[in-house]
Structure formats: C-alpha cells, structure tokens
Amino acid sequence: PVMWLPDELVVKIFGCLTSVRDLVRVTAVCTKWYDLGNDEFLYRKFLSNPSSPAYLPPAELEARLSRVKSYKTVYMQIYSKLL
C-alpha cells in the first residue's frame, strides 16, 4: 500500500502533480497526506514553474520570501489575486 512508502517518496510523487488543485485533492485523502502535501518543496515547484499561473521570476520570489519565509504563504498571496 501507498501508506507504507517513505514520506520523501510520497512528497516526490506529489511533486509530479501538475496543479495545486490536484494537490489539494490528494491532501483531502487522509491526515498524513495533508501533512505531506503542505511540504514547502511542492509550493516552491509551482512558484518556480514558468508555465504555472502563479509563477514568479526568481528575484521577485526571493524578495517575497524575505518577508514571509514560506513558499506556501507566497503561493496563497498570488493565488488570491488570481481569483
């Protein structure tokens, strides 16, 4: 079963998702997946991907991170403006 996979591998698999919408869906499966789905690596991926609607150029991303210290927080700020 998937639940026996190491956490690092599950996060890597989640990293293959192509949208935050999909990530939100898998984090609804169980508490463990919710916790793993909130990994900063995943939000960094979406913010760093030029094809993502939430993409930020590296300099702007670093500037925002210097203020909030969390990729997820930066993503949520960008996403709220996209709505």
Side-chain angles (χ1 to χ4, degrees):
V2 175
M3 299 306 286
W4 293 346
L5 294 173
D7 291 350
E8 297 80 16
L9 184 56
V10 175
V11 170
K12 192 164 212 134
I13 292 168
F14 287 176
C16 294
L17 298 171
T18 58
S19 74
V20 171
R21 178 175 286 163
D22 292 339
L23 179 60
V24 169
R25 287 179 180 148
V26 299
T27 60
V29 170
C30 65
T31 303
K32 180 178 180 176
W33 284 19
Y34 176 82
D35 293 340
L36 295 175
N38 282 298
D39 190 283
E40 288 290 298
F41 159 80
L42 300 168
Y43 288 92
R44 181 177 64 217
K45 175 191 167 251
F46 288 112
L47 290 168
S48 302
N49 182 353
S51 64
S52 169
Y55 171 73
L56 290 176
E60 186 176 347
L61 180 55
E62 291 303 318
R64 287 179 182 244
L65 284 170
S66 70
R67 293 190 298 271
V68 296
K69 306 281 189 242
S70 164
Y71 286 98
K72 183 176 181 181
T73 302
V74 172
Y75 181 86
M76 294 306 190
Q77 291 171 347
I78 300 293
Y79 183 75
S80 68
K81 291 178 183 172
L82 294 173
L83 295 179

